[in-house]
Amino acid sequence: MTTKKVLHLDSNHSLMIEQLAQMGYVNIEDYTSSKETIEETIHEYEGIIIRSRFKIDAAFLEKATQLKFIGRVGAGLENIDCEFAKAKGIALIAAPEGNQTAVGEHALGMLLTLFNKLNLVDQEVRQGIWIREGNRGIELEGKTVGIIGYGHMGNAFAKRLQGFDCEVIFHDIKDNLENQYAKQVSIAELQRKADIVSLHIPQTPDTHYMINQSFIEQMAKPFWLINTARGKAVHTADLVDALISEKVRGAALDVLEYEKSSFEHMFADETLPQPMQYLIQSDKVLLSPHIAGWTIESKEKLAQTIIDKIRRQFS
């Protein structure tokens, strides 16, 4: 009997190991070896489970001669050479359904925190500072929220905006995605109407630096920006200029341009870029460490989603 082996490159919920074993797979966990070391034995495996530890490129896949699937425990597949993998008949399995609730709730939480200065006033009260007039908040009611990218994440955010009496519109490169939660519009209409722009897009050449000086200048009104998608969708230096000029009224950023590709560490080198220094010091900015999809519940949902898709395709 042929042994079916799956290589786990990042730790995940224990149910993934348990259920793959029930399906007849032998699970090998290697969370520390270098990519070069793993390449020496990758030909032994039918499956890989990864989050974002390193890039699975063509050279790596060329050595994976028995590989049938790659399970990416998350939404995006940008750390995988998808075209090469598909050409080799390797199934690419992601799980955007698994953390859509977490992302939708996090985006809403960041927006409300930004509007009501909750991160700032919490620190003030802890320091014995009691300011009421200077900390008046802003209401979401009556505002227009413009969502860019209306897949699982954008839809989840729109769903959670119901009941706030705000207008919700979205732009997506795909047509006919409109539903009961939001109206589909052109990017020009979104830029004309939106008070808030929330990004829910994958990392692709088309979305790289989507929010830049040109985009910001084309916004008809000063606006708030939320990014729970990918850091490189925003040109940080241009965002900082817009925050200084007040064309951007505030920004809630769960992801940063300067993150390492693994998303596990802050910067690609040891220096703190000048625009990042501004973000850290600005009271117009709310930051979190790429945790929008990172809840107790989503850890289990992501793993179960991957397992269910493997079972449907390979059982």
Side-chain angles (χ1 to χ4, degrees):
M1 180 177 176
T2 304
T3 300
K4 301 189 300 181
K5 296 170 66 176
V6 175
L7 177 61
H8 298 258
L9 294 172
D10 293 289
S11 60
N12 290 290
H13 197 282
S14 59
L15 73 81
M16 184 167 285
I17 298 287
E18 295 164 3
Q19 293 188 31
L20 280 170
Q22 291 168 8
M23 294 163 61
Y25 290 98
V26 174
N27 294 286
I28 305 299
E29 300 171 73
D30 187 341
Y31 308 141
T32 59
S33 294
S34 69
K35 182 179 179 181
E36 290 71 25
T37 298
I38 290 168
E39 283 181 349
E40 295 175 3
T41 59
I42 195 61
H43 63 277
E44 301 175 5
Y45 296 94
E46 287 195 13
I48 295 173
I49 303 295
I50 190 170
R51 289 203 311 269
S52 302
R53 184 168 149 203
F54 55 69
K55 184 172 179 61
I56 298 181
D57 53 24
F60 183 92
L61 291 169
E62 197 70 74
K63 296 179 174 68
T65 53
Q66 303 300 317
L67 199 62
K68 294 183 178 179
F69 67 84
I70 301 172
R72 186 345 172 90
V73 188
L77 293 167
E78 67 268 18
N79 61 326
I80 301 169
D81 188 329
C82 296
E83 288 189 14
F84 192 83
K86 291 175 181 176
K88 287 178 63 68
I90 299 168
L92 301 176
I93 302 171
E97 310 93 325
N99 60 356
Q100 60 184 346
T101 295
V103 171
E105 291 186 0
H106 194 92
L108 178 57
M110 292 190 92
L111 177 59
L112 295 177
T113 296
L114 198 63
F115 270 23
N116 293 285
K117 304 180 183 179
L118 296 181
N119 56 322
L120 303 178
V121 297
D122 173 77
Q123 293 302 311
E124 288 178 354
V125 173
R126 291 173 189 272
Q127 296 172 44
I129 301 170
W130 194 269
I131 299 174
R132 297 185 69 232
E133 185 59 38
N135 283 316
R136 284 189 182 270
I138 298 167
E139 295 179 4
L140 184 50
E141 181 179 4
K143 305 294 189 299
T144 298
V145 180
I147 296 171
I148 300 180
Y150 206 63
H152 289 280
M153 310 305 172
N155 189 77
F157 181 47
K159 181 178 180 180
R160 279 148 189 84
L161 289 167
Q162 306 307 297
F164 281 92
D165 293 326
C166 57
E167 181 183 11
V168 185
I169 58 177
F170 73 89
H171 174 73
D172 195 283
I173 59 173
K174 296 180 180 179
D175 296 324
N176 303 314
L177 297 179
E178 186 168 320
N179 59 14
Q180 69 268 37
Y181 305 129
K183 175 186 176 183
Q184 188 159 10
V185 299
S186 66
I187 193 67
E189 183 174 350
L190 185 144
Q191 290 177 308
R192 186 171 66 253
K193 297 179 68 174
D195 300 290
I196 300 115
V197 173
S198 187
L199 304 182
H200 300 275
I201 48 180
Q203 184 170 307
T204 70
D206 290 334
T207 63
H208 186 258
Y209 286 166
M210 171 179 278
I211 306 302
N212 55 19
Q213 181 182 1
S214 176
F215 181 96
I216 292 167
E217 288 177 349
Q218 291 177 66
M219 290 292 294
K221 299 181 281 187
F223 67 101
W224 289 266
L225 176 68
I226 307 169
N227 189 10
T228 55
R230 288 291 183 260
K232 288 181 172 57
V234 177
H235 190 287
T236 310
D238 290 353
L239 171 61
V240 167
D241 288 343
L243 286 163
I244 293 170
S245 71
E246 299 187 345
K247 184 61 185 282
V248 174
R249 301 182 66 176
L253 308 172
D254 179 58
V255 290
L256 297 164
E257 176 185 349
Y258 311 109
E259 285 180 80
K260 288 188 176 181
S261 59
S262 67
F263 309 138
E264 301 296 330
H265 304 281
M266 186 179 287
F267 301 128
D269 54 41
E270 299 304 317
T271 61
L272 192 65
Q274 189 66 39
M276 188 66 207
Q277 293 183 38
Y278 176 89
L279 296 182
I280 289 173
Q281 296 166 4
S282 175
D283 61 6
K284 300 177 182 178
V285 177
L286 179 65
L287 302 170
S288 60
H290 204 137
I291 56 169
W294 209 248
T295 62
I296 293 170
E297 293 85 354
S298 73
K299 183 177 183 179
E300 180 173 353
K301 290 176 183 177
L302 285 165
Q304 191 62 63
T305 299
I306 294 292
I307 289 294
D308 290 345
K309 289 182 178 181
I310 293 172
R311 184 180 288 114
R312 284 198 295 269
Q313 289 188 245
F314 296 97
S315 292

